[in-house]
Amino acid sequence: MAHPTRGAPLTATAEADVIGGLHRALADWFAAEARDLPWRHPDCSPWGILVSEVMLQQTPVVRVLPVWREWMKRWPRPADLAAEAAGEAVRAWGRLGYPRRALRLHAAATVIADEYGGSLPDTEEGLLALPGVGGYTAAAVAAFAFGRRAAVVDTNIRRVHARLVRGEALPAPSLTAAERRLAEELLPDDRGASVRWNVAAMELGAIVCTARSPRCDACPVASACAWRAAGEPPPSYVPKGQAWHGTDRQVRGAVMAVLRAASRPVPRVLFEGPGPAVADDGGPVAAQLARLHALAPAPEQLERSLEGLLADGLAAEHDGGLALP
DNA sequence: AAAGCGTGGTG
DNA sequence: TCACCAAGCTT
């Protein structure tokens, strides 16, 4: 494997020492500097951890916190969520984004309640089979909820590995086999140590080894960092941002905001454009409709977006109108 | 396997 | 301002 020091190749023993040093340094740093997050508390249930992991997919911690607390209060066990309509999960999702995650969490809760007697599967393989759970989330829940030795590979850990070991500013655009291999090689043999390494590396990426302006002065492993040693070379490629203005996604988002605000089905004609005054339930719906209309989507784009939401199960037909499922 | 999927804070 | 970015998954 690549090793985090310059110069002559290390013997296997020396390399193990270097890696052991990284393990210790990060564990100490984590113990002193980690954020106090509720899903890291020892009394947090596996369900709470799963919910947090799904909410944290592409969504920052600060926005997840209040919604996660609300979900835990309202649905402390998977069966509690499974007993509700899926639309309640979508509504309670609020503005976290990617609302299909709420749908999948509801579906996962149903599987857990119906097929697992209400307890989460405790293996990566079992977790991976749940709706909305991919490689990252399965490994994270296996490690953080069940103490298993699993190589967790998220965007933070990928960036830490890219810099610390590979000497590159950013990881490749998509996860490579080499990255999985490296993550596996760096993982401590001991289960407890492996869990601590996973959280610590993730935390380091989140608050020190950040994408934009890394705080290398506060980094516990800066002296071992290959990227630093190489003079912090710039990224070898330009990440292409996600289009937003004028896209179906923007329209879908505006439609979902309408449905979340509505307590009854919204007639289709109201989505199409500002028309004659409409009796709504008081204002929030009208305000979200106005936001949608301000985007002025072409009729075919609006149609495509509505059909997409129906196909995805994020919207349903009721009495000739649209509502949450 | 590349593209699609929300949202809001920030440099 | 505006593009980038955030504990990815699915098809």
Side-chain angles (χ1 to χ4, degrees):
Chain A
M1 64 167 251
H3 57 79
T5 58
R6 307 277 93 187
L10 298 176
T11 65
T13 309
E15 184 175 299
D17 287 346
V18 171
I19 295 176
L22 294 177
H23 293 161
R24 251 170 280 119
L26 265 202
D28 290 348
W29 170 82
F30 183 83
E33 303 293 338
R35 293 166 294 179
D36 178 27
L37 301 174
W39 43 83
R40 287 181 182 159
H41 289 189
D43 63 342
C44 183
S45 68
W47 167 241
I49 291 172
L50 173 64
V51 172
S52 78
E53 292 299 345
V54 173
M55 288 184 172
L56 287 163
Q57 293 168 3
Q58 305 283 278
T59 303
V61 166
V62 286
R63 281 171 40 210
V64 165
L65 276 168
V67 182
W68 182 86
R69 290 199 186 92
E70 181 58 34
W71 272 54
M72 288 300 99
K73 191 166 58 176
R74 185 168 172 188
W75 301 306
R77 297 164 307 174
D80 301 318
L81 178 59
E84 297 244 24
E88 284 307 297
V90 175
R91 198 188 302 278
W93 197 251
R95 306 186 66 80
L96 290 183
Y98 292 147
R100 45 175 61 170
R101 289 182 292 166
L103 233 36
R104 291 177 180 148
L105 215 31
H106 181 270
T110 303
V111 172
I112 294 164
D114 293 351
E115 298 178 23
Y116 289 92
S119 300
L120 270 68
D122 64 356
T123 63
E124 269 190 271
E125 186 186 6
L127 290 160
L128 196 51
L130 295 173
V133 175
Y136 160 73
T137 305
V141 174
F144 305 144
F146 299 111
R148 292 194 179 274
R149 183 180 179 279
V152 177
V153 185
D154 77 321
T155 188
N156 290 308
I157 289 181
R158 295 182 64 214
R159 189 173 53 249
V160 168
H161 291 177
R163 289 180 182 158
L164 186 60
V165 180
R166 302 171 65 90
E168 295 166 3
L170 294 175
S174 58
L175 183 59
T176 65
E179 287 182 86
R180 296 183 198 282
R181 209 177 315 124
L182 176 59
E184 191 60 51
E185 285 167 4
L186 291 174
L187 197 63
D189 293 326
D190 177 76
R191 284 163 100 103
S194 74
V195 173
R196 289 190 290 275
W197 169 253
N198 281 323
V199 254
M202 206 176 318
E203 187 75 347
L204 187 73
I207 68 181
V208 171
C209 194
T210 53
R212 299 265 205 137
S213 14
R215 303 169 46 220
C216 300
D217 55 335
C219 179
V221 290
S223 63
C225 180
W227 182 55
R228 249 198 144 196
E232 305 189 0
S236 55
Y237 69 97
V238 281
K240 62 166 194 253
Q242 314 157 331
W244 174 247
H245 294 285
T247 63
D248 289 4
R249 269 208 297 188
Q250 187 181 27
V251 175
R252 289 170 54 117
V255 170
M256 288 305 297
V258 173
L259 298 185
R260 263 186 257 115
S263 53
R264 69 193 68 242
V266 181
R268 275 213 186 216
V269 63
L270 296 188
F271 292 96
E272 289 162 8
V278 175
D280 59 61
D281 41 0
V285 178
Q288 294 305 326
L289 280 168
R291 255 172 40 98
L292 170 62
H293 297 152
L295 298 177
E300 74 238 33
Q301 186 183 27
L302 179 66
E303 179 65 14
R304 189 170 60 238
S305 299
L306 294 179
E307 290 309 313
L309 291 172
L310 286 165
D312 289 346
L314 284 166
E317 303 252 29
H318 282 299
D319 305 324
L322 295 182
L324 294 178

